[in-house]
Amino acid sequence: MTLDQKTHDELVEIAGRYPEKRSGLLPMLHLVQSVEGRVTPEGIETCAEIIGISPAEVSGVATFYTMYKRRPVGDHLVGVCTNTLCAVMGGDAIFETLKSHLDVGNDETTEDGTITLEHVECNAACDYAPVMMVNWEFMDNMTPASAVQLVDDLRVGKEVTSTRGPRLCTWREAERVLAGFPDGRVDEGPAAGAASLVGLEIAAERGWTAPATQASGAADGAPKTSDDPVAESARVEQESPTDTTAAEKKEAK
Amino acid sequence: MVDTLTPVLTKNWGQDRAWTLPAYEAQGGYKALEKALSMAPDDLITAVKESGLRGRGGAGFPTGMKWSFIPQDNPKPKYLVVNADESEPGTCKDIPLMMASPHTLVEGVIISSFAIRANKAFIYIRGEVLHVIRRVQAAVAEAYAAGHLGTDIHGSGYDLDIVVHAGAGAYICGEETALLEGLEGRRGQPRLRPPFPAVAGLYASPTVINNVESIASVPSIVANGPEWFSSMGTEKSKGFGIFSLSGHVNRPGQYEAPLGITLRELIDLAGGIREGHQLKFWTPGGSSTPLLTDEHLDLPLDFESMGAAGTMLGTRALQLFDETTCVVRAVLRWTEFYKHESCGKCTPCREGTWWLVQTLAALEQGKGRESDLDLLLDQCENILGRSFCALGDGATSPISSSVKFFRDEYLAHLTHGGCPFDAAASTAFSPAGASV
């Protein structure tokens, strides 16, 4: 069985984005997974042929990176972060709960083929611990109960939305986006989750801003004031600093 | 007097549809690009040098100096590669930046590429952050449509293309030469240096590799001037940075402040350690930076002070653990991570991290002997400084620092015949966690 013509053409297109074709290999393998549900021997051979390297070289790459799967993945790839911080904050308990609830082990798929469960390493969302990922979308501040609800919803095909992102697609659809083919969901979800904004909110409450541009700093032509009202109010606030915290900070140093 | 928090990169994160070009331009976005294109590239490099900006990916190498290492007489193409492979445990600043305001990064990429005279730039984003990748892909597309990218950008005669590249799961690709291997479609194993990437990087051509936050800081430096940037921070650690608080603190999240703020100040802002508990240990900049304790709350979080305390500023990934947390369990888990992520290229790291896990796991289960602690430190000594790249060195950091500060806790596992802690008490959802 070989890949269809459309996939072949898209693989060629990916390779063409780079000065050297081989640079396209990582996204090409993502595309293979989106079509085949895993990295198949046919996918490896097609990539090798397009790039002009041996299938063994492609296999060497496919086996190095953890996102490439050699066994079929379920409709949804559910990851639980069990790196230290998330583990301590409850990731271990969540992972144990899900293994038992779904009756699968790590990197195994439920009998109905809907969910593959795995533990994942730090996914750069530690301020939302414990964190889960579904098809590489963030599911923040999870508990064992919310994790069970999440997988139950996924199994019955209910629409689920990332806690600070879009409606979840399937794992295969996600792999297609990673290959560089957008799916139109970019404008779903907020700009940032609550934890990403805490410092900004405190700064706004207390009137803290970065310094305004000083005249002396404008030797290279930077304007002293901005026509941006936010920057302008920042400048005004900076020129009348009255808060005690700044003084406290000086003492601390 | 500079304020305690100084939102610059995070400033627009709360805006409606902050990720779109109209929202970014409405708050002054791409004005710095206009200014940069009217400057000489060498003057841009000088400005970034004078600002004192040091790499925000952990190592703290001066960004402008890195740019000046590019041999402009080399006839090969020059490349800018953005390291957006944020994977260091605890580090969570670049991902929200790219999700909320990808144009800050894209504008920085264009200015930085112009400065080093690159006509092709790559943003290498770890693959495990789908929505972030969507947002960066869309921002690049919008920038092309607006004429900020492509040929003859705004009539300047300068051409630039950006490729958004998704990785595929490998912590090691945060190491810059391993990242280049990944970007060349190979297994992500580090390269021997020299030659350094500035001379022979991507496709053996002169290449600058910078962290997301470093590149995202560039537009503000160009817009406001290097003196503005260096008016924040400490003597040798200039400017602002995003400090990421996580763990047992009331308001975990992102706090953008001048370098040199202390953890005590940050914890105060974050509403304190969770009710009824005390700070036990913390990482200043990810798991590869040696642990500190509550004795170190008043140290300025800058490169020099952290170095003097025997650790590193790293990525300002402040993971906070209270007294319910078993340090041995925490360190074992990090060690398992390093073992899993070791690329296998060099023996000290490949074999050494395996042995570290064996020894630590036995201690954690209370099965070892006291002499195993010395064995553990001996193993660390044989990895530190003998590994091919910093991954092996980093693997030893949590171990040697935790033995230094918490030796008794390791021994308690032996006398107790296992872990004396209740793991449930550490969780975010445990009733025990909320009230002792």
Side-chain angles (χ1 to χ4, degrees):
Chain A
M1 202 179 97
T2 54
L3 299 178
D4 59 36
Q5 189 61 42
K6 173 178 176 256
T7 305
H8 188 277
D9 293 348
E10 286 177 343
L11 288 171
V12 171
E13 181 192 329
I14 295 170
R17 293 177 196 150
Y18 298 86
E20 295 186 9
K21 284 191 282 188
R22 184 167 177 166
S23 280
L25 184 52
L26 265 51
M28 287 165 78
L29 288 169
H30 283 305
L31 188 70
V32 166
Q33 294 205 122
S34 79
V35 177
E36 302 270 275
R38 65 186 176 107
V39 176
T40 54
E42 293 78 16
I44 287 174
E45 278 162 29
T46 308
C47 289
E49 174 230 321
I50 290 169
I51 293 171
I53 58 178
S54 72
E57 286 176 290
V58 175
S59 286
V61 172
T63 52
F64 184 85
Y65 296 92
T66 53
M67 290 178 78
Y68 299 134
K69 307 298 181 188
R70 276 161 285 168
R71 282 176 288 157
V73 172
D75 299 333
H76 300 287
L77 179 62
V78 174
V80 182
C81 178
T82 58
N83 201 299
T84 298
L85 190 114
C86 274
V88 165
M89 298 297 284
D92 278 357
I94 291 170
F95 191 52
E96 289 309 313
T97 302
L98 286 183
K99 279 196 288 191
S100 130
H101 182 72
L102 296 171
D103 196 23
V104 293
N106 181 46
D107 198 19
E108 289 179 6
T109 304
T110 53
E111 267 181 31
D112 61 3
T114 52
I115 290 183
T116 298
L117 180 70
E118 64 176 3
H119 75 84
V120 298
E121 297 298 357
C122 185
N123 224 94
C126 315
D127 44 346
Y128 297 93
V131 172
M132 287 177 62
M133 305 299 296
V134 178
N135 309 326
W136 308 116
E137 302 280 19
F138 289 112
M139 300 302 295
D140 301 324
N141 299 118
M142 298 300 288
T143 65
S146 66
V148 165
Q149 184 67 52
L150 169 64
V151 295
D152 284 352
D153 287 348
L154 290 172
R155 290 184 91 174
V156 298
K158 230 174 122 177
E159 188 172 276
V160 178
T161 302
S162 159
T163 49
R164 58 185 153 119
R167 291 164 298 132
L168 300 183
C169 56
T170 64
W171 174 74
R172 287 194 186 202
E173 289 165 345
E175 284 290 315
R176 183 171 171 80
V177 177
L178 297 182
F181 298 99
D183 62 359
R185 296 189 185 204
V186 64
D187 289 334
E188 295 184 21
S196 307
L197 300 173
V198 290
L200 190 64
E201 282 161 5
I202 292 169
E205 280 164 21
R206 306 195 186 185
W208 288 340
T209 64
T213 308
Q214 300 298 311
S216 62
D220 54 359
K224 184 180 177 188
T225 57
S226 165
D227 53 5
D228 169 13
V230 179
E232 180 59 16
S233 72
R235 187 187 66 79
V236 173
E237 280 160 16
Q238 173 57 26
E239 284 171 1
S240 51
T242 54
D243 61 277
T244 52
T245 315
E248 284 163 11
K249 188 180 166 203
K250 194 176 182 182
E251 275 172 27
K253 281 191 181 175
Chain B
M1 195 67 227
V2 175
D3 288 345
T4 307
L5 293 179
T6 50
V8 176
L9 301 177
T10 56
K11 190 173 148 192
N12 63 333
W13 290 9
Q15 284 182 0
D16 189 37
R17 293 171 63 86
W19 63 90
T20 61
L21 184 66
Y24 185 65
E25 289 188 332
Q27 52 101 39
Y30 288 103
K31 292 251 175 70
L33 172 62
E34 205 179 302
K35 183 176 168 187
L37 290 174
S38 71
M39 291 170 67
D42 281 337
D43 292 345
L44 282 168
I45 296 179
T46 304
V48 172
K49 267 188 187 170
E50 285 176 354
S51 75
L53 173 65
R54 294 170 65 176
R56 298 301 194 230
F61 192 83
T63 303
M65 197 180 294
K66 209 176 203 182
W67 292 5
S68 68
F69 289 160
I70 293 290
Q72 289 298 339
D73 55 354
N74 187 318
K76 288 185 173 177
K78 283 91 190 157
Y79 296 107
L80 177 75
V81 177
V82 177
N83 185 343
D85 192 56
E86 183 166 66
S87 307
E88 171 72 17
T91 309
C92 49
K93 62 190 179 64
D94 298 338
I95 293 303
L97 189 155
M98 291 186 286
M99 181 132 101
S101 188
H103 280 289
T104 311
L105 175 64
V106 172
E107 185 178 14
V109 169
I110 305 169
I111 296 171
S112 307
S113 299
F114 178 70
I116 65 162
R117 280 140 279 190
N119 299 112
K120 191 117 188 164
F122 299 86
I123 304 176
Y124 186 114
I125 311 180
R126 65 180 302 184
E128 302 99 320
V129 287
L130 182 60
H131 207 45
V132 172
I133 289 169
R134 280 195 191 95
R135 292 262 165 98
V136 178
Q137 285 172 341
V140 168
E142 282 183 306
Y144 271 106
H148 299 320
L149 281 172
T151 51
D152 190 22
I153 296 169
H154 299 307
S156 64
Y158 175 61
D159 305 337
L160 179 68
D161 286 307
I162 295 182
V163 175
V164 179
H165 180 94
Y171 167 66
I172 187 61
C173 286
E175 197 281 339
E176 61 179 17
T177 61
L179 184 149
L180 293 178
E181 289 288 300
L183 189 50
E184 290 185 8
R186 300 169 199 278
R187 293 166 75 90
Q189 295 188 314
R191 297 174 179 174
L192 190 66
R193 292 177 295 186
F196 288 92
V199 177
L202 187 66
Y203 313 128
S205 297
T207 304
V208 164
I209 306 158
N210 282 141
N211 168 260
V212 168
E213 194 185 352
S214 309
I215 292 290
S217 299
V218 169
S220 70
I221 293 170
V222 171
N224 301 306
E227 296 85 357
W228 168 83
F229 187 83
S230 61
S231 74
M232 292 172 266
T234 56
E235 194 191 340
K236 289 179 180 167
S237 298
K238 299 295 189 191
F240 49 81
I242 303 173
F243 292 80
S244 309
L245 268 66
S246 61
H248 293 134
V249 64
N250 281 320
R251 287 213 276 179
Q254 309 300 322
Y255 297 79
E256 192 174 7
L259 300 189
I261 192 170
T262 67
L263 184 59
R264 188 184 300 281
E265 289 175 285
L266 285 165
I267 290 176
D268 282 350
L269 293 174
I273 296 295
R274 63 177 181 162
E275 202 57 38
H277 296 277
Q278 307 87 44
L279 179 66
K280 179 176 174 184
F281 63 94
W282 54 287
T283 65
S287 58
S288 303
T289 60
L291 301 177
L292 295 175
T293 68
D294 60 355
E295 294 166 32
H296 307 98
L297 278 169
D298 294 310
L299 294 178
L301 293 165
D302 62 16
F303 293 106
E304 291 67 37
S305 306
M306 289 296 104
T311 184
M312 290 174 281
L313 182 63
T315 51
R316 289 150 277 121
L318 301 151
Q319 305 174 89
L320 311 177
F321 299 92
D322 71 20
E323 85 292 345
T324 64
T325 314
C326 172
V327 76
V328 182
R329 173 188 175 212
V331 170
L332 171 60
R333 190 60 58 87
W334 278 321
T335 308
E336 288 169 337
F337 163 76
Y338 290 108
K339 173 190 165 227
H340 180 252
E341 298 297 333
S342 176
C343 79
K345 180 162 181 158
C346 77
T347 311
C349 176
R350 183 187 62 245
E351 304 297 320
T353 52
W354 189 89
W355 279 108
L356 290 176
V357 169
Q358 299 301 304
T359 313
L360 259 175
L363 282 165
E364 203 261 345
Q365 292 158 17
K367 289 177 186 161
R369 292 186 299 256
E370 188 170 350
S371 61
D372 286 347
L373 270 180
D374 299 323
L375 176 65
L376 194 59
L377 294 176
D378 187 53
Q379 289 168 340
C380 286
E381 271 180 40
N382 278 294
I383 297 169
L384 182 66
R386 291 178 163 85
S387 300
F388 197 84
C389 78
L391 190 150
D393 295 345
T396 70
S397 293
I399 297 176
S400 31
S401 57
S402 63
V403 173
K404 178 168 126 194
F405 294 120
F406 300 102
R407 194 180 180 96
D408 288 348
E409 194 165 312
Y410 279 89
L411 298 179
H413 283 69
L414 299 180
T415 51
H416 189 265
C419 184
F421 287 82
D422 172 16
S426 303
T427 64
F429 40 79
S430 161
S435 64
V436 182

